[in-house]
Amino acid sequence: MSGRLLRATMKVGGNTLVSRILGFVRDVVVARAFGASAAADAFFVAFRIPNLLRRLFAEGAFSQAFVPVLSEYMATRPHEDARDLAAHVAGALGAILLIMTAAGIALAPGLVTVFAPGFLAQPAKHALAVDMVRITFPYILFISLASFAAGILNAHERFGAPAFAPVWLNLCLIGCALWLAPVLDEPVKALAYGVLLAGVVQLGFLIPFLAEVGMLVRPRLRRRHEGVRRVLKLIGPALFGVSVSQINMLLNTLIASFLTTGSITWLYYSDRMVEFPLGVFGIALATVILPSLSGRHATGSTEAFSSTLDWALRLVVLIAVPSTLGLVVLSEPILATLFRYGAFSADDVLMSARSLEALALGLLGFVGVKVLAPGYFARQDTRTPVRIGIMAMAANIVLNLVLVWPLAHAGLALATALAAYVNSGLLLRGLVAEGVYRPRPGWRRFALRCALANVAMVVVIVALRGADAMWLEGTALERAVRLGGVVMAGGVTYLVALLAVGLRPAQLVRAEGG
């Protein structure tokens, strides 16, 4: 079983890697064209609003509520019952999304005021953000339906297509930035049109795969459908339970709108860097284990449930810790290599690096939340993550107010990182206290081996990275080759050190015990 989960995680991570690489290309194109300007700030606010709703409602709350119920239907009922559930959930979801989309378009000025009140002092910037919110908001309709399709495919253990679908967002944004922007009076609006187009394309891409698994259904509406009521009952609490970090990032945007121009953009690029390992590994792992945990809960396999969580947490430590250290030590080289072109200045690199170093410190916490939350959602317990999420969000607000004064935008990033540990720590404590998760033997030895390998990796990276100033010089190719060499040397050192201290790949496969 563990081998199958590991292969599935690698497949999802591989497809996500393609998307993230194209995402970097997208960011390079956007940074080169718009830099850290007022127009860029306006777009990132406009995009963050529907994107936040996507992460909260579609990928977050909806997936965590729908997949466990669908997995239970598939494990205990005939196929036609699962199709009937999908049809009625699609009808209810579509109706809710249509209302939400219409409301978002109508209330766009108020949304921008709420999420970026600092823009009120700059009427042109505020108006531009409002226009782009109205263009991008229908994205939530299409991308949520795409996430619904992805949830069905994941429950059928068809992980590849849903993981590849986000590639289309990056391709649409790159295409619009390169070819549509030059012909518009407001070039930055091309990015907003690209977001809308991407939602349509992603949904269309997944529809044929639904047909392959026999789940392409016609939406239906019935108020008293038992499965729909269960999903709706779970979805409300799940809004907070899995997506607190996204709410915290939105609070960062709100406060950053009062800081110097560029602060929102600097935070955006920092977030993008942390999202790379989080998406390639953390979200991939969470996507794979949720259907597995849900199925094991439905069949009463408590020992296998705990073993799956233990296996996932070991992978978290093995990958998230070196990723954190790499981002912190190489913050300026990475940002300079990727974005130091056109309108993106050396000062933008420095400012973005400050927030990246702070935000990257929370990567282990961010990934931990992604992996631990399914331990609750798979058991259809959404209330506990809500309580924990509210506590974490309160901690983030307090930390924001404390840290923003001495550290400016980097203080906001650090507050989000610390709040992630509050969230993941309380989730872990709850699972252990309930007896749902019982750590398997060998954690101390495993942690010591990982620590020694990470020390060796950092020593090599620090020795090779050189001074920050050298990363602002040379051509794009020279910087990319230099960075690739340092990253490869650090990665090889880490893997060799793991083998040297006695950790073998077979141990990770056996660790799940399934």
Side-chain angles (χ1 to χ4, degrees):
M1 176 66 73
S2 57
R4 179 178 58 80
L5 290 179
L6 186 59
R7 287 191 297 272
T9 302
M10 293 174 64
K11 177 185 287 187
V12 176
N15 284 347
T16 305
L17 177 62
V18 175
S19 175
R20 298 295 176 173
I21 291 173
L22 281 172
F24 286 143
V25 175
R26 175 192 91 193
D27 288 340
V28 168
V29 171
V30 173
R32 188 181 184 93
F34 302 104
S37 62
D41 278 357
F43 168 72
F44 289 131
V45 167
F47 183 37
R48 187 174 291 280
I49 294 172
N51 204 39
L52 173 71
L53 291 175
R54 170 184 66 84
R55 289 178 173 179
L56 288 177
F57 185 67
E59 292 179 356
F62 178 74
S63 294
Q64 301 291 11
F66 174 59
V67 171
V69 176
L70 179 62
S71 296
E72 180 185 318
Y73 267 63
M74 291 170 55
T76 61
R77 305 193 187 194
H79 178 68
E80 281 305 313
D81 286 357
R83 281 179 54 85
D84 185 65
L85 171 67
H88 284 88
V89 170
L93 178 64
I96 293 170
L97 290 169
L98 284 172
I99 295 171
M100 184 184 298
T101 300
I105 293 172
L107 300 175
L111 289 173
V112 173
T113 300
V114 169
F115 293 128
F119 284 10
L120 286 174
Q122 304 173 65
K125 193 175 182 180
H126 183 274
L128 180 59
V130 169
D131 288 344
M132 287 193 286
V133 166
R134 287 179 168 147
I135 296 169
T136 59
F137 213 90
Y139 170 74
I140 186 64
L141 169 65
F142 296 106
I143 200 61
S144 295
L145 292 174
S147 293
F148 165 72
I152 294 174
L153 293 171
N154 288 337
H156 285 79
E157 299 188 357
R158 298 287 295 273
F159 300 110
F164 184 82
V167 167
W168 295 108
L169 171 64
N170 297 317
L171 290 175
C172 289
L173 282 172
I174 291 169
C176 288
L178 291 176
W179 295 299
L180 181 59
V183 302
L184 295 182
D185 293 335
E186 287 278 6
V188 75
K189 287 186 178 180
L191 300 178
Y193 289 116
V195 170
L196 176 58
L197 176 63
V200 177
V201 172
Q202 287 182 75
L203 175 59
F205 171 72
L206 291 175
I207 286 176
F209 295 96
L210 287 180
E212 285 184 10
V213 297
M215 293 294 285
L216 183 58
V217 296
R218 185 177 64 183
R220 298 180 183 177
L221 271 175
R222 193 171 86 207
R223 291 180 57 188
R224 298 187 178 277
H225 189 280
E226 180 265 346
V228 174
R229 285 191 299 171
R230 287 173 59 189
V231 172
L232 292 177
K233 183 179 179 180
L234 294 171
I235 203 171
L239 283 169
F240 276 76
V242 76
S243 300
V244 167
S245 64
Q246 299 306 319
I247 298 175
N248 289 341
M249 287 302 296
L250 190 60
L251 291 173
N252 289 354
T253 301
L254 186 152
I255 297 174
S257 71
F258 291 99
L259 301 178
T260 183
T261 293
S263 295
I264 292 174
T265 301
W266 299 329
L267 285 169
Y268 169 81
Y269 286 116
S270 300
D271 185 39
R272 290 288 295 159
M273 295 302 100
V274 174
E275 282 284 338
F276 184 80
L278 180 60
V280 171
F281 170 68
I283 296 175
L285 183 57
T287 298
V288 168
I289 67 170
L290 178 59
S292 177
L293 291 173
S294 300
R296 290 179 173 190
H297 175 68
T299 57
S301 305
T302 55
E303 181 61 33
F305 190 101
S306 176
S307 295
T308 298
L309 279 175
D310 190 87
W311 170 80
L313 288 173
R314 289 178 192 248
L315 283 183
V316 168
V317 172
L318 191 69
I319 297 177
V321 174
S323 298
T324 295
L325 296 173
L327 286 172
V328 170
V329 176
L330 293 173
S331 58
E332 284 198 38
I334 291 172
L335 289 163
T337 300
L338 291 174
F339 306 124
R340 177 66 179 96
Y341 312 102
F344 203 82
S345 68
D347 185 62
D348 291 329
V349 171
L350 176 62
M351 293 295 102
S352 299
R354 289 179 180 176
S355 51
L356 174 56
E357 290 166 3
L359 192 62
L361 293 175
L363 182 58
L364 183 61
F366 298 138
V367 178
V369 171
K370 296 294 184 184
V371 171
L372 292 167
Y376 294 88
F377 294 121
R379 297 180 294 120
Q380 299 179 32
D381 173 11
T382 57
R383 296 186 180 277
T384 302
V386 167
R387 291 195 297 269
I388 292 173
I390 291 173
M391 288 186 280
M393 188 164 61
N396 186 74
I397 293 172
V398 173
L399 290 167
N400 270 337
L401 297 176
V402 170
L403 297 174
V404 70
W405 298 109
L407 300 176
H409 69 290
L412 302 178
L414 182 59
T416 300
L418 296 175
Y421 286 106
V422 173
N423 196 352
S424 59
L426 291 175
L427 288 172
L428 178 61
R429 189 179 72 172
L431 290 171
V432 173
E434 294 176 25
V436 175
Y437 170 52
R438 295 178 296 278
R440 294 171 64 85
W443 263 100
R444 288 185 180 179
R445 181 185 303 173
F446 175 75
L448 178 60
R449 288 169 170 171
C450 291
L452 292 172
N454 278 291
V455 169
M457 180 194 75
V458 170
V459 169
V460 170
I461 290 177
V462 170
L464 295 176
R465 77 184 294 276
D468 290 335
M470 66 182 290
W471 293 96
L472 301 175
E473 303 169 353
T475 66
L477 180 60
E478 289 171 345
R479 276 180 273 178
V481 170
R482 187 186 307 153
L483 179 62
V486 174
V487 171
M488 184 175 295
V492 170
T493 300
Y494 181 65
L495 294 175
V496 171
L498 285 175
L499 294 174
V501 296
L503 188 65
R504 300 291 182 266
Q507 293 173 295
L508 295 175
V509 175
R510 291 197 304 268
E512 195 207 356

